[in-house]
Amino acid sequence: MMAQSNSIPLDLILKLVRGYVELLERRPILVKSVTSGLIGAVGNFVAQNTGKGKNEQVKERSIFAFALFGFGVSGPLVHFFLNWLAKHGPSNPILKVILDRFGFAPIYLLLILYLLPRLEGRSHTDALEQLKKIYWSALKMSWKVWIPVQFVNLNLVPLQYRVLVTNLVAVGWNIYLSRTRSTQEKKEEEKDD
C-alpha cells in the first residue's frame, strides 16, 4: 500500500491550467488584468513581509495600489502593447526587444513609479519627487532583468501567454520595486526627523 502524498494532485493542477487557458481564450483582457492585479498584490505583500522590522506593519494601501495598478493599467496596457508589437512591430527578434525595452519600458516604468504613490494616496509632488529619485536606477535595473526575459518571451512564447510570462517574472520585479520605493521612503522619513 502506497503512502498518500500531501502534494496537490496532478489532475487538479491540469484542470486549473485548462480552466485558465479556456478563460484566457474567452476573456483575454479580463484574465490578464486580474492576473496582473493579483501578481502585483502578491509581489508587494512578499516584499513587505520579508526583511521588515518587527514593529513594521503591512501597508494594505500599498498592496491595494499594486493590485489596482495591475488590474487597471498593467494588464490591459501590456496586453495591447504586446498585441500591437506582434502585429505591427519589427519581425527582427533583436529589434522587437529594442522597441519593447527602449520604447515601451521607459514610459511604462514612469507610469508605475508615478501612479503607485498616487494610488496610495500620496500627493502629486511626493510622487514626482520619488520618481526623480529612483527612476534612472530602476530603469537600468529593468534593462538588466527584462531584456533577456523579453527576448525569450517576444520570440518564443505564443502571443496569448506573453502577459502571463511577464506577470510571473513581475513577482520578483514587484518585490524589487516595492523594496526600492520603501527604502527611498525610509530615507525621506529619516531626513525629516
Side-chain angles (χ1 to χ4, degrees), residues 3-149:
Q4 210 168 11
S5 171
N6 289 335
S7 65
I8 299 172
L10 181 60
D11 57 330
L12 176 62
I13 294 169
L14 293 174
K15 191 175 186 177
L16 289 171
V17 169
R18 277 193 295 273
Y20 180 85
V21 170
E22 286 174 18
L23 281 172
L24 188 59
E25 289 172 2
R26 283 188 288 164
R27 306 286 304 263
I29 297 170
L30 179 62
V31 170
K32 292 172 186 179
S33 296
V34 169
T35 305
S36 294
L38 289 172
I39 293 291
V42 166
N44 183 266
F45 180 80
V46 169
Q48 287 190 53
N49 284 286
T50 54
K52 72 176 187 166
K54 291 180 182 178
N55 296 328
E56 291 183 54
Q57 292 184 333
V58 171
K59 298 175 186 170
E60 290 91 4
R61 196 163 192 158
S62 184
I63 294 169
F64 176 75
F66 269 83
L68 189 58
F69 181 84
F71 180 77
V73 179
S74 182
L77 184 62
V78 173
H79 165 83
F80 287 116
F81 175 73
L82 292 180
N83 279 313
W84 175 87
L85 189 61
K87 291 175 183 153
H88 306 292
S91 58
N92 180 298
I94 305 241
L95 291 178
K96 268 188 215 177
V97 175
I98 289 172
L99 183 58
D100 175 62
R101 292 295 91 200
F102 295 95
F104 178 75
I107 297 165
Y108 180 69
L109 183 61
L110 188 112
L111 280 172
I112 293 170
L113 294 177
Y114 176 76
L115 289 177
L116 285 174
R118 298 294 289 151
L119 291 169
E120 292 169 340
R122 296 176 56 199
S123 72
H124 168 73
T125 304
D126 286 348
L128 286 179
E129 280 302 311
Q130 185 181 66
L131 180 66
K132 288 177 192 174
K133 290 177 179 161
I134 65 175
Y135 179 77
W136 181 238
S137 62
L139 182 61
K140 289 187 290 187
M141 180 58 77
S142 84
W143 290 332
K144 291 175 186 174
V145 170
W146 288 101
I147 286 174
V149 169

